[in-house]
mmCIF file of all heavy atoms in Angstrom:
data_model
loop_
_atom_site.group_PDB
_atom_site.id
_atom_site.type_symbol
_atom_site.label_atom_id
_atom_site.label_comp_id
_atom_site.label_asym_id
_atom_site.label_seq_id
_atom_site.Cartn_x
_atom_site.Cartn_y
_atom_site.Cartn_z
ATOM 1 N N ALA A 206 159.417 177.441 105.792
ATOM 2 C CA ALA A 206 159.646 176.918 107.145
ATOM 3 C C ALA A 206 158.409 176.180 107.638
ATOM 4 O O ALA A 206 158.516 175.122 108.266
ATOM 5 C CB ALA A 206 160.008 178.056 108.102
ATOM 6 N N SER A 207 157.246 176.721 107.336
ATOM 7 C CA SER A 207 156.000 176.085 107.729
ATOM 8 C C SER A 207 155.822 174.733 107.038
ATOM 9 O O SER A 207 155.430 173.752 107.667
ATOM 10 C CB SER A 207 154.825 177.005 107.388
ATOM 11 O OG SER A 207 153.606 176.399 107.696
ATOM 12 N N ILE A 208 156.134 174.684 105.761
ATOM 13 C CA ILE A 208 156.042 173.429 105.003
ATOM 14 C C ILE A 208 157.025 172.404 105.556
ATOM 15 O O ILE A 208 156.681 171.232 105.730
ATOM 16 C CB ILE A 208 156.293 173.682 103.502
ATOM 17 C CG1 ILE A 208 155.121 174.457 102.907
ATOM 18 C CG2 ILE A 208 156.526 172.381 102.755
ATOM 19 C CD1 ILE A 208 155.376 174.984 101.516
ATOM 20 N N ALA A 209 158.224 172.838 105.845
ATOM 21 C CA ALA A 209 159.241 171.934 106.388
ATOM 22 C C ALA A 209 158.814 171.388 107.749
ATOM 23 O O ALA A 209 158.975 170.194 108.021
ATOM 24 C CB ALA A 209 160.585 172.642 106.495
ATOM 25 N N ALA A 210 158.254 172.251 108.584
ATOM 26 C CA ALA A 210 157.796 171.810 109.911
ATOM 27 C C ALA A 210 156.645 170.821 109.777
ATOM 28 O O ALA A 210 156.582 169.818 110.495
ATOM 29 C CB ALA A 210 157.377 173.016 110.748
ATOM 30 N N SER A 211 155.750 171.090 108.855
ATOM 31 C CA SER A 211 154.622 170.199 108.625
ATOM 32 C C SER A 211 155.089 168.844 108.110
ATOM 33 O O SER A 211 154.613 167.799 108.552
ATOM 34 C CB SER A 211 153.661 170.841 107.617
ATOM 35 O OG SER A 211 152.613 169.971 107.312
ATOM 36 N N ALA A 212 156.030 168.859 107.200
ATOM 37 C CA ALA A 212 156.569 167.602 106.661
ATOM 38 C C ALA A 212 157.278 166.808 107.749
ATOM 39 O O ALA A 212 157.154 165.580 107.817
ATOM 40 C CB ALA A 212 157.516 167.895 105.506
ATOM 41 N N GLU A 213 158.005 167.495 108.598
ATOM 42 C CA GLU A 213 158.710 166.829 109.697
ATOM 43 C C GLU A 213 157.720 166.218 110.684
ATOM 44 O O GLU A 213 157.900 165.092 111.144
ATOM 45 C CB GLU A 213 159.639 167.816 110.416
ATOM 46 C CG GLU A 213 160.508 167.187 111.461
ATOM 47 C CD GLU A 213 161.524 166.203 110.913
ATOM 48 O OE1 GLU A 213 161.940 166.344 109.749
ATOM 49 O OE2 GLU A 213 161.896 165.279 111.652
ATOM 50 N N ALA A 214 156.644 166.938 110.987
ATOM 51 C CA ALA A 214 155.621 166.422 111.896
ATOM 52 C C ALA A 214 154.942 165.196 111.289
ATOM 53 O O ALA A 214 154.684 164.206 111.996
ATOM 54 C CB ALA A 214 154.593 167.507 112.198
ATOM 55 N N GLU A 215 154.685 165.253 109.994
ATOM 56 C CA GLU A 215 154.060 164.117 109.312
ATOM 57 C C GLU A 215 154.988 162.903 109.327
ATOM 58 O O GLU A 215 154.558 161.772 109.557
ATOM 59 C CB GLU A 215 153.720 164.503 107.878
ATOM 60 C CG GLU A 215 152.882 163.480 107.162
ATOM 61 C CD GLU A 215 152.437 163.965 105.798
ATOM 62 O OE1 GLU A 215 152.028 165.124 105.677
ATOM 63 O OE2 GLU A 215 152.505 163.146 104.864
ATOM 64 N N LYS A 216 156.275 163.141 109.100
ATOM 65 C CA LYS A 216 157.260 162.058 109.109
ATOM 66 C C LYS A 216 157.338 161.430 110.503
ATOM 67 O O LYS A 216 157.400 160.203 110.630
ATOM 68 C CB LYS A 216 158.629 162.602 108.704
ATOM 69 C CG LYS A 216 159.660 161.514 108.474
ATOM 70 C CD LYS A 216 161.071 162.039 108.261
ATOM 71 C CE LYS A 216 161.203 162.944 107.087
ATOM 72 N NZ LYS A 216 162.614 163.374 106.876
ATOM 73 N N ASN A 217 157.312 162.258 111.538
ATOM 74 C CA ASN A 217 157.353 161.739 112.908
ATOM 75 C C ASN A 217 156.099 160.928 113.228
ATOM 76 O O ASN A 217 156.182 159.901 113.895
ATOM 77 C CB ASN A 217 157.514 162.879 113.911
ATOM 78 C CG ASN A 217 158.917 163.449 113.907
ATOM 79 O OD1 ASN A 217 159.866 162.781 113.511
ATOM 80 N ND2 ASN A 217 159.050 164.696 114.326
ATOM 81 N N ALA A 218 154.946 161.404 112.756
ATOM 82 C CA ALA A 218 153.694 160.674 112.984
ATOM 83 C C ALA A 218 153.732 159.316 112.279
ATOM 84 O O ALA A 218 153.282 158.306 112.845
ATOM 85 C CB ALA A 218 152.514 161.499 112.502
ATOM 86 N N MET A 219 154.273 159.281 111.073
ATOM 87 C CA MET A 219 154.371 158.016 110.341
ATOM 88 C C MET A 219 155.322 157.057 111.046
ATOM 89 O O MET A 219 155.043 155.852 111.145
ATOM 90 C CB MET A 219 154.836 158.265 108.904
ATOM 91 C CG MET A 219 153.775 158.875 108.019
ATOM 92 S SD MET A 219 154.346 159.229 106.345
ATOM 93 C CE MET A 219 154.734 157.585 105.772
ATOM 94 N N ARG A 220 156.435 157.589 111.553
ATOM 95 C CA ARG A 220 157.393 156.760 112.289
ATOM 96 C C ARG A 220 156.737 156.159 113.535
ATOM 97 O O ARG A 220 156.908 154.969 113.828
ATOM 98 C CB ARG A 220 158.597 157.607 112.697
ATOM 99 C CG ARG A 220 159.889 157.099 112.117
ATOM 100 C CD ARG A 220 161.098 157.862 112.617
ATOM 101 N NE ARG A 220 161.421 158.883 111.634
ATOM 102 C CZ ARG A 220 161.653 160.157 111.891
ATOM 103 N NH1 ARG A 220 161.644 160.590 113.126
ATOM 104 N NH2 ARG A 220 161.929 160.995 110.949
ATOM 105 N N LEU A 221 155.982 156.978 114.247
ATOM 106 C CA LEU A 221 155.292 156.520 115.448
ATOM 107 C C LEU A 221 154.262 155.448 115.098
ATOM 108 O O LEU A 221 154.151 154.424 115.783
ATOM 109 C CB LEU A 221 154.616 157.700 116.155
ATOM 110 C CG LEU A 221 153.856 157.384 117.431
ATOM 111 C CD1 LEU A 221 154.790 156.796 118.481
ATOM 112 C CD2 LEU A 221 153.197 158.638 117.972
ATOM 113 N N ARG A 222 153.511 155.666 114.003
ATOM 114 C CA ARG A 222 152.503 154.696 113.565
ATOM 115 C C ARG A 222 153.168 153.367 113.203
ATOM 116 O O ARG A 222 152.671 152.295 113.562
ATOM 117 C CB ARG A 222 151.726 155.258 112.362
ATOM 118 C CG ARG A 222 150.731 154.309 111.764
ATOM 119 C CD ARG A 222 149.517 154.139 112.636
ATOM 120 N NE ARG A 222 148.539 153.326 111.938
ATOM 121 C CZ ARG A 222 147.760 152.447 112.534
ATOM 122 N NH1 ARG A 222 147.784 152.328 113.833
ATOM 123 N NH2 ARG A 222 146.914 151.739 111.834
ATOM 124 N N GLU A 223 154.288 153.416 112.488
ATOM 125 C CA GLU A 223 155.003 152.191 112.120
ATOM 126 C C GLU A 223 155.499 151.458 113.357
ATOM 127 O O GLU A 223 155.464 150.224 113.413
ATOM 128 C CB GLU A 223 156.168 152.506 111.177
ATOM 129 C CG GLU A 223 155.737 152.955 109.802
ATOM 130 C CD GLU A 223 154.892 151.932 109.065
ATOM 131 O OE1 GLU A 223 155.175 150.716 109.151
ATOM 132 O OE2 GLU A 223 153.919 152.356 108.401
ATOM 133 N N LYS A 224 155.932 152.217 114.350
ATOM 134 C CA LYS A 224 156.405 151.615 115.597
ATOM 135 C C LYS A 224 155.248 150.915 116.321
ATOM 136 O O LYS A 224 155.412 149.803 116.835
ATOM 137 C CB LYS A 224 156.997 152.711 116.490
ATOM 138 C CG LYS A 224 157.937 152.245 117.541
ATOM 139 C CD LYS A 224 158.447 153.429 118.330
ATOM 140 C CE LYS A 224 159.942 153.448 118.335
ATOM 141 N NZ LYS A 224 160.481 154.499 119.201
ATOM 142 N N GLU A 225 154.084 151.563 116.335
ATOM 143 C CA GLU A 225 152.900 150.970 116.967
ATOM 144 C C GLU A 225 152.489 149.689 116.246
ATOM 145 O O GLU A 225 152.170 148.683 116.890
ATOM 146 C CB GLU A 225 151.732 151.960 116.951
ATOM 147 C CG GLU A 225 151.891 153.128 117.878
ATOM 148 C CD GLU A 225 150.804 154.178 117.690
ATOM 149 O OE1 GLU A 225 149.973 154.052 116.758
ATOM 150 O OE2 GLU A 225 150.784 155.146 118.474
ATOM 151 N N LEU A 226 152.498 149.735 114.912
ATOM 152 C CA LEU A 226 152.107 148.547 114.146
ATOM 153 C C LEU A 226 153.099 147.407 114.343
ATOM 154 O O LEU A 226 152.706 146.238 114.411
ATOM 155 C CB LEU A 226 151.984 148.889 112.654
ATOM 156 C CG LEU A 226 150.797 149.755 112.265
ATOM 157 C CD1 LEU A 226 150.850 150.081 110.780
ATOM 158 C CD2 LEU A 226 149.476 149.101 112.625
ATOM 159 N N ALA A 227 154.368 147.736 114.443
ATOM 160 C CA ALA A 227 155.388 146.696 114.641
ATOM 161 C C ALA A 227 155.232 146.005 115.990
ATOM 162 O O ALA A 227 155.592 144.825 116.132
ATOM 163 C CB ALA A 227 156.783 147.297 114.512
ATOM 164 N N ALA A 228 154.669 146.704 116.955
ATOM 165 C CA ALA A 228 154.490 146.143 118.290
ATOM 166 C C ALA A 228 153.290 145.196 118.370
ATOM 167 O O ALA A 228 153.179 144.429 119.325
ATOM 168 C CB ALA A 228 154.330 147.263 119.307
ATOM 169 N N VAL A 229 152.407 145.209 117.379
ATOM 170 C CA VAL A 229 151.218 144.344 117.393
ATOM 171 C C VAL A 229 151.643 142.893 117.141
ATOM 172 O O VAL A 229 152.360 142.601 116.182
ATOM 173 C CB VAL A 229 150.196 144.797 116.318
ATOM 174 C CG1 VAL A 229 149.042 143.807 116.226
ATOM 175 C CG2 VAL A 229 149.685 146.185 116.617
ATOM 176 N N LYS A 230 151.198 142.013 118.021
ATOM 177 C CA LYS A 230 151.507 140.582 117.880
ATOM 178 C C LYS A 230 150.528 139.975 116.872
ATOM 179 O O LYS A 230 149.318 140.146 116.990
ATOM 180 C CB LYS A 230 151.357 139.857 119.219
ATOM 181 C CG LYS A 230 152.216 140.417 120.324
ATOM 182 C CD LYS A 230 153.652 140.014 120.140
ATOM 183 C CE LYS A 230 154.463 140.483 121.326
ATOM 184 N NZ LYS A 230 155.782 140.866 120.998
ATOM 185 N N ILE A 231 151.082 139.291 115.877
ATOM 186 C CA ILE A 231 150.234 138.634 114.884
ATOM 187 C C ILE A 231 150.680 137.188 114.720
ATOM 188 O O ILE A 231 151.817 136.826 115.025
ATOM 189 C CB ILE A 231 150.272 139.358 113.518
ATOM 190 C CG1 ILE A 231 151.694 139.464 112.980
ATOM 191 C CG2 ILE A 231 149.612 140.715 113.607
ATOM 192 C CD1 ILE A 231 151.787 139.957 111.558
ATOM 193 N N ASN A 232 149.769 136.384 114.213
ATOM 194 C CA ASN A 232 150.037 134.972 113.981
ATOM 195 C C ASN A 232 150.480 134.807 112.528
ATOM 196 O O ASN A 232 149.768 135.185 111.604
ATOM 197 C CB ASN A 232 148.754 134.182 114.262
ATOM 198 C CG ASN A 232 148.957 132.697 114.204
ATOM 199 O OD1 ASN A 232 149.906 132.209 113.596
ATOM 200 N ND2 ASN A 232 148.051 131.968 114.838
ATOM 201 N N ALA A 233 151.645 134.237 112.327
ATOM 202 C CA ALA A 233 152.188 134.054 110.976
ATOM 203 C C ALA A 233 151.288 133.173 110.123
ATOM 204 O O ALA A 233 151.175 133.382 108.907
ATOM 205 C CB ALA A 233 153.590 133.478 111.053
ATOM 206 N N ALA A 234 150.631 132.205 110.756
ATOM 207 C CA ALA A 234 149.722 131.317 110.015
ATOM 208 C C ALA A 234 148.547 132.115 109.454
ATOM 209 O O ALA A 234 148.093 131.865 108.332
ATOM 210 C CB ALA A 234 149.232 130.194 110.913
ATOM 211 N N GLU A 235 148.067 133.081 110.234
ATOM 212 C CA GLU A 235 146.955 133.914 109.758
ATOM 213 C C GLU A 235 147.394 134.781 108.573
ATOM 214 O O GLU A 235 146.618 134.996 107.639
ATOM 215 C CB GLU A 235 146.413 134.778 110.891
ATOM 216 C CG GLU A 235 145.666 133.976 111.945
ATOM 217 C CD GLU A 235 145.204 134.816 113.121
ATOM 218 O OE1 GLU A 235 145.696 135.959 113.294
ATOM 219 O OE2 GLU A 235 144.354 134.325 113.881
ATOM 220 N N VAL A 236 148.614 135.274 108.617
ATOM 221 C CA VAL A 236 149.144 136.056 107.495
ATOM 222 C C VAL A 236 149.155 135.188 106.243
ATOM 223 O O VAL A 236 148.714 135.612 105.170
ATOM 224 C CB VAL A 236 150.568 136.588 107.799
ATOM 225 C CG1 VAL A 236 151.174 137.230 106.561
ATOM 226 C CG2 VAL A 236 150.540 137.566 108.951
ATOM 227 N N ASP A 237 149.636 133.953 106.374
ATOM 228 C CA ASP A 237 149.689 133.043 105.230
ATOM 229 C C ASP A 237 148.299 132.736 104.693
ATOM 230 O O ASP A 237 148.087 132.722 103.471
ATOM 231 C CB ASP A 237 150.396 131.737 105.618
ATOM 232 C CG ASP A 237 151.885 131.910 105.844
ATOM 233 O OD1 ASP A 237 152.458 132.885 105.289
ATOM 234 O OD2 ASP A 237 152.475 131.091 106.574
ATOM 235 N N ILE A 238 147.364 132.476 105.582
ATOM 236 C CA ILE A 238 145.995 132.176 105.153
ATOM 237 C C ILE A 238 145.392 133.348 104.397
ATOM 238 O O ILE A 238 144.827 133.190 103.311
ATOM 239 C CB ILE A 238 145.110 131.791 106.370
ATOM 240 C CG1 ILE A 238 145.552 130.442 106.930
ATOM 241 C CG2 ILE A 238 143.635 131.761 105.979
ATOM 242 C CD1 ILE A 238 144.929 130.091 108.263
ATOM 243 N N ILE A 239 145.513 134.550 104.959
ATOM 244 C CA ILE A 239 144.950 135.746 104.314
ATOM 245 C C ILE A 239 145.619 135.966 102.959
ATOM 246 O O ILE A 239 144.938 136.211 101.959
ATOM 247 C CB ILE A 239 145.111 136.994 105.217
ATOM 248 C CG1 ILE A 239 144.241 136.856 106.465
ATOM 249 C CG2 ILE A 239 144.752 138.262 104.452
ATOM 250 C CD1 ILE A 239 144.493 137.917 107.523
ATOM 251 N N ALA A 240 146.926 135.847 102.917
ATOM 252 C CA ALA A 240 147.659 136.072 101.665
ATOM 253 C C ALA A 240 147.261 135.043 100.607
ATOM 254 O O ALA A 240 147.025 135.399 99.445
ATOM 255 C CB ALA A 240 149.158 136.021 101.914
ATOM 256 N N ASN A 241 147.156 133.787 101.000
ATOM 257 C CA ASN A 241 146.818 132.728 100.036
ATOM 258 C C ASN A 241 145.359 132.799 99.594
ATOM 259 O O ASN A 241 145.068 132.690 98.403
ATOM 260 C CB ASN A 241 147.121 131.348 100.623
ATOM 261 C CG ASN A 241 148.613 131.113 100.760
ATOM 262 O OD1 ASN A 241 149.409 131.669 100.028
ATOM 263 N ND2 ASN A 241 148.988 130.282 101.723
ATOM 264 N N GLU A 242 144.464 132.926 100.525
ATOM 265 C CA GLU A 242 143.040 132.907 100.189
ATOM 266 C C GLU A 242 142.597 134.137 99.400
ATOM 267 O O GLU A 242 141.739 134.045 98.534
ATOM 268 C CB GLU A 242 142.185 132.765 101.455
ATOM 269 C CG GLU A 242 142.342 131.429 102.152
ATOM 270 C CD GLU A 242 141.943 130.248 101.270
ATOM 271 O OE1 GLU A 242 140.929 130.326 100.555
ATOM 272 O OE2 GLU A 242 142.669 129.233 101.302
ATOM 273 N N LEU A 243 143.165 135.286 99.714
ATOM 274 C CA LEU A 243 142.766 136.518 99.009
ATOM 275 C C LEU A 243 143.740 136.883 97.896
ATOM 276 O O LEU A 243 143.603 137.934 97.272
ATOM 277 C CB LEU A 243 142.632 137.672 100.004
ATOM 278 C CG LEU A 243 141.574 137.477 101.097
ATOM 279 C CD1 LEU A 243 141.562 138.669 102.031
ATOM 280 C CD2 LEU A 243 140.200 137.247 100.501
ATOM 281 N N GLU A 244 144.716 136.000 97.669
ATOM 282 C CA GLU A 244 145.727 136.200 96.625
ATOM 283 C C GLU A 244 146.394 137.580 96.737
ATOM 284 O O GLU A 244 146.410 138.376 95.817
ATOM 285 C CB GLU A 244 145.111 136.006 95.242
ATOM 286 C CG GLU A 244 144.577 134.605 95.025
ATOM 287 C CD GLU A 244 143.935 134.411 93.663
ATOM 288 O OE1 GLU A 244 143.877 135.375 92.882
ATOM 289 O OE2 GLU A 244 143.499 133.288 93.395
ATOM 290 N N LEU A 245 146.944 137.807 97.935
ATOM 291 C CA LEU A 245 147.626 139.061 98.227
ATOM 292 C C LEU A 245 149.096 138.809 98.499
ATOM 293 O O LEU A 245 149.495 137.690 98.829
ATOM 294 C CB LEU A 245 147.024 139.717 99.484
ATOM 295 C CG LEU A 245 145.587 140.163 99.434
ATOM 296 C CD1 LEU A 245 145.139 140.574 100.829
ATOM 297 C CD2 LEU A 245 145.421 141.318 98.479
ATOM 298 N N ASP A 246 149.854 139.866 98.403
ATOM 299 C CA ASP A 246 151.243 139.826 98.826
ATOM 300 C C ASP A 246 151.255 139.665 100.348
ATOM 301 O O ASP A 246 150.408 140.211 101.052
ATOM 302 C CB ASP A 246 151.940 141.132 98.412
ATOM 303 C CG ASP A 246 153.410 141.122 98.740
ATOM 304 O OD1 ASP A 246 154.098 140.175 98.320
ATOM 305 O OD2 ASP A 246 153.860 142.072 99.422
ATOM 306 N N LYS A 247 152.209 138.905 100.861
ATOM 307 C CA LYS A 247 152.269 138.676 102.310
ATOM 308 C C LYS A 247 152.447 139.976 103.089
ATOM 309 O O LYS A 247 151.935 140.116 104.195
ATOM 310 C CB LYS A 247 153.382 137.696 102.659
ATOM 311 C CG LYS A 247 153.019 136.266 102.354
ATOM 312 C CD LYS A 247 154.048 135.319 102.919
ATOM 313 C CE LYS A 247 153.585 133.897 102.676
ATOM 314 N NZ LYS A 247 154.454 132.921 103.314
ATOM 315 N N LYS A 248 153.170 140.930 102.504
ATOM 316 C CA LYS A 248 153.366 142.211 103.194
ATOM 317 C C LYS A 248 152.042 142.949 103.368
ATOM 318 O O LYS A 248 151.799 143.565 104.404
ATOM 319 C CB LYS A 248 154.361 143.078 102.432
ATOM 320 C CG LYS A 248 155.780 142.575 102.502
ATOM 321 C CD LYS A 248 156.727 143.488 101.767
ATOM 322 C CE LYS A 248 158.141 142.956 101.862
ATOM 323 N NZ LYS A 248 159.107 143.847 101.231
ATOM 324 N N VAL A 249 151.188 142.895 102.351
ATOM 325 C CA VAL A 249 149.879 143.547 102.438
ATOM 326 C C VAL A 249 149.025 142.846 103.486
ATOM 327 O O VAL A 249 148.367 143.497 104.309
ATOM 328 C CB VAL A 249 149.162 143.545 101.061
ATOM 329 C CG1 VAL A 249 147.745 144.063 101.187
ATOM 330 C CG2 VAL A 249 149.954 144.358 100.052
ATOM 331 N N ALA A 250 149.046 141.525 103.471
ATOM 332 C CA ALA A 250 148.268 140.766 104.454
ATOM 333 C C ALA A 250 148.760 141.052 105.870
ATOM 334 O O ALA A 250 147.954 141.272 106.791
ATOM 335 C CB ALA A 250 148.377 139.278 104.145
ATOM 336 N N GLU A 251 150.076 141.073 106.044
ATOM 337 C CA GLU A 251 150.640 141.347 107.371
ATOM 338 C C GLU A 251 150.289 142.757 107.839
ATOM 339 O O GLU A 251 149.884 142.954 108.982
ATOM 340 C CB GLU A 251 152.158 141.175 107.336
ATOM 341 C CG GLU A 251 152.812 141.434 108.674
ATOM 342 C CD GLU A 251 154.326 141.284 108.621
ATOM 343 O OE1 GLU A 251 154.844 140.596 107.725
ATOM 344 O OE2 GLU A 251 154.974 141.866 109.510
ATOM 345 N N ARG A 252 150.436 143.722 106.954
ATOM 346 C CA ARG A 252 150.138 145.120 107.303
ATOM 347 C C ARG A 252 148.670 145.267 107.715
ATOM 348 O O ARG A 252 148.358 145.908 108.723
ATOM 349 C CB ARG A 252 150.454 146.027 106.102
ATOM 350 C CG ARG A 252 150.028 147.448 106.224
ATOM 351 C CD ARG A 252 151.034 148.241 106.952
ATOM 352 N NE ARG A 252 150.596 149.621 107.079
ATOM 353 C CZ ARG A 252 151.384 150.581 107.439
ATOM 354 N NH1 ARG A 252 152.649 150.321 107.696
ATOM 355 N NH2 ARG A 252 150.946 151.801 107.567
ATOM 356 N N THR A 253 147.777 144.671 106.932
ATOM 357 C CA THR A 253 146.343 144.768 107.231
ATOM 358 C C THR A 253 146.033 144.094 108.561
ATOM 359 O O THR A 253 145.256 144.624 109.364
ATOM 360 C CB THR A 253 145.513 144.133 106.097
ATOM 361 O OG1 THR A 253 145.878 144.749 104.863
ATOM 362 C CG2 THR A 253 144.028 144.334 106.340
#
């Protein structure tokens, strides 16, 4: 029960973090520049 509660709390924290990150306004051009110049996947550049 303790493990299940801990896992549920961790899942909720991750959901909240993803929601916070999704609310951040970013410039698509900056994502492209970072992805191209550092040779990264666009998802990694956007997330960072």
Side-chain angles (χ1 to χ4, degrees):
S207 177
I208 290 169
S211 176
E213 186 65 28
E215 189 174 317
K216 189 188 300 183
N217 286 337
M219 286 178 63
R220 240 185 264 131
L221 180 61
R222 176 73 174 144
E223 291 301 321
K224 201 180 234 186
E225 289 172 354
L226 289 177
V229 173
K230 303 285 185 214
I231 57 171
N232 186 339
E235 290 176 344
V236 172
D237 290 337
I238 291 169
I239 293 171
N241 290 333
E242 293 300 318
L243 299 179
E244 298 179 359
L245 296 171
D246 184 54
K247 283 189 176 186
K248 289 182 180 183
V249 173
E251 180 181 337
R252 172 84 181 194
T253 305

